[in-house]
Amino acid sequence: RWQHALPGSGSLAVQAYLDHTRREVSPTFTESLSIADVQFQHTLPVHGAHSLVWGANYRHSWDRVTNSEVIAFLPARDRQTWASLFAQDEIALRPDLSLTLGARIERNDYTGNEFLPTARLSWRVDPHHTLWTAASRTVRAPTRLDVDAYIPGRPPYLLQGGRQVRSEVAQVFELGYRGQPLPGLSYSATLFHNDYDHLRTQEIDPTSTFLTFGSLMEGRATGIEMWGSYQLNRAWRLSGGFTALHERLRLKAGSNDAAGPGTAGKDPEHTLQLRAHHAFDERRELEVALRKVAALENPGVPGYWALDARFGWRLRPNLELSLVGQNLNGSHGEYGAVATRLELERRVGVKLVWPN
């Protein structure tokens, strides 16, 4: 990552990374995936009421899969490219009112160009309270799992990919509030409504001899997110969050995926999180987190509570040692049928951070 300040509050930034992953999912497949990614961003100097940022991103992947008798990705070797251009303008309409307009054009190998606009209006009612609203369009582009998956690994295939799939689309609408009535107390709440289209389905081919992936489901999701934080004193900080979600999915005309709406909505109806942070001194701290996740249906997964903790000790200004515990109250499953469900077990580890 490289950054350079320009005269008049402008800046340039370039970042790049290389990533290589090898994943073995016995006995189904083994994958070797390499990704190269580079992004450029230019922040222009403030011009009147406008603060403009623009940039570009380019990503390329090399994917190689060793198929099995269970599943095959065809072709077994593939290269893909993603590219995007983006821009955002934050406009100060008044000292207490700002409008942010943005857009991104993304291109992928499966569906071509996707247009992703966004708009956000923020009103500072007074120095301690802010109201805001936003609307945006976002997509989930198809992956190799949507397009190139064949089951079993040799013909005749029961599932033959989904060359006709489209990007899943969400129109997102939000209304939010942020407040800080006291120096140590802050909280926020966001109401949201999402309209979904072209959600993934599993269709029976007209020949009735195999299945294929389609994009013939739509739906809605409505909910609320809330979060608050309170600094009791110099040593103690308490925070908590809550999310409630109501989803409804339905098939579009032409779909024969009768099980689709029931198997696609796999999000918990509510989640709860509580955190406590205690600083013993400038070098030692303790953080405890308790979270609750509601039960899932089809397949059924029980709700669960999970307790995590972390003790951090700054040995030197540039050296930190941490003892971390996850799921300290016992293991739990998060998704999947009982026969194949992966249980997340109790884990304890040590982490050492030594920056240059």
Side-chain angles (χ1 to χ4, degrees):
R1 179 177 176 85
W2 173 83
Q3 282 186 293
H4 177 67
L6 299 175
S9 73
S11 66
L12 292 175
V14 179
Q15 68 176 29
Y17 69 82
L18 294 172
D19 179 87
H20 176 75
T21 302
R22 177 177 171 82
R23 181 170 56 153
E24 297 183 8
V25 188
S26 180
T28 54
F29 69 94
T30 299
E31 179 188 40
S32 294
L33 175 64
S34 298
I35 297 175
D37 186 285
V38 60
Q39 178 171 295
F40 163 80
Q41 181 172 301
H42 180 199
T43 302
L44 278 69
V46 176
H47 181 69
H50 298 267
S51 300
L52 183 64
V53 179
W54 73 278
N57 178 258
Y58 179 86
R59 176 182 296 182
H60 189 80
S61 71
W62 299 263
D63 191 25
R64 183 180 64 192
V65 179
T66 302
N67 295 316
S68 71
E69 299 290 335
V70 179
I71 185 173
F73 289 84
L74 303 176
R77 296 193 178 201
D78 193 23
R79 294 186 178 187
Q80 295 190 46
T81 299
W82 300 262
S84 65
L85 291 172
F86 58 89
Q88 176 181 287
D89 187 11
E90 184 175 347
I91 309 168
L93 302 177
R94 297 186 328 214
D96 62 341
L97 188 66
S98 66
L99 174 66
T100 302
L101 300 175
R104 178 186 291 266
I105 299 176
E106 292 185 347
R107 179 171 181 81
N108 66 82
D109 291 343
Y110 291 129
T111 62
N113 295 328
E114 301 284 357
F115 182 56
L116 311 175
T118 183
R120 181 186 182 98
L121 184 66
S122 178
W123 176 36
R124 182 175 296 180
V125 181
D126 59 42
H128 305 292
H129 303 277
T130 301
L131 294 173
W132 62 271
T133 184
S136 58
R137 179 183 188 269
T138 184
V139 303
R140 185 188 77 85
T143 67
R144 295 203 68 192
L145 184 60
D146 302 308
V147 179
D148 300 334
Y150 287 72
I151 297 176
R154 298 180 183 273
Y157 300 114
L158 299 179
L159 173 67
Q160 298 190 20
R163 293 292 174 178
Q164 71 281 5
V165 295
R166 303 174 60 176
S167 292
E168 296 184 324
V169 178
Q171 309 285 352
V172 181
F173 305 93
E174 298 172 287
L175 178 64
Y177 163 78
R178 294 192 302 271
Q180 190 175 8
L182 300 172
L185 175 64
S186 62
Y187 45 80
S188 65
T190 302
L191 292 169
F192 61 88
H193 176 80
N194 303 338
D195 285 330
Y196 300 116
D197 199 3
H198 310 310
L199 299 181
R200 196 71 66 247
T201 53
Q202 188 170 277
E203 306 293 339
I204 302 174
D205 186 76
T207 64
S208 299
T209 58
F210 63 91
L211 300 174
T212 184
F213 289 125
S215 302
L216 295 176
M217 186 160 51
E218 60 186 3
R220 295 179 176 180
T222 303
I224 185 172
E225 294 180 350
M226 296 183 290
W227 185 261
S229 178
Y230 182 44
Q231 188 75 38
L232 289 171
N233 49 46
R234 294 184 60 183
W236 281 100
R237 183 174 71 250
L238 303 177
S239 58
F242 176 77
T243 300
L245 176 66
H246 179 71
E247 288 181 317
R248 283 295 179 267
L249 306 177
R250 57 186 176 273
L251 297 176
K252 301 172 71 171
S255 174
N256 52 42
D257 185 8
T263 59
K266 294 183 180 297
D267 300 301
E269 292 187 351
H270 65 267
T271 61
L272 173 67
Q273 185 174 148
L274 301 172
R275 288 180 176 272
H277 179 274
H278 179 68
F280 297 96
D281 49 40
E282 295 181 354
R283 301 174 61 186
R284 298 173 300 162
E285 62 181 6
L286 174 66
E287 185 174 13
V288 179
L290 179 65
R291 49 195 167 90
K292 179 184 183 297
V293 179
L296 301 180
E297 298 181 1
N298 195 21
V301 179
Y304 64 88
W305 290 86
L307 178 65
D308 303 333
R310 171 186 169 274
F311 176 75
W313 185 14
R314 190 175 299 277
L315 304 175
R316 296 179 181 177
N318 65 338
L319 184 63
E320 181 179 292
L321 180 67
S322 299
L323 177 63
V324 181
Q326 297 177 322
N327 305 316
L328 296 177
N329 58 320
S331 62
H332 64 267
E334 293 192 349
Y335 62 91
V338 175
T340 58
R341 182 181 303 157
L342 177 65
E343 291 283 324
L344 299 182
E345 299 177 342
R346 183 184 294 110
R347 298 178 60 188
V348 177
V350 177
K351 182 178 180 180
L352 182 67
V353 179
W354 188 8
N356 295 329

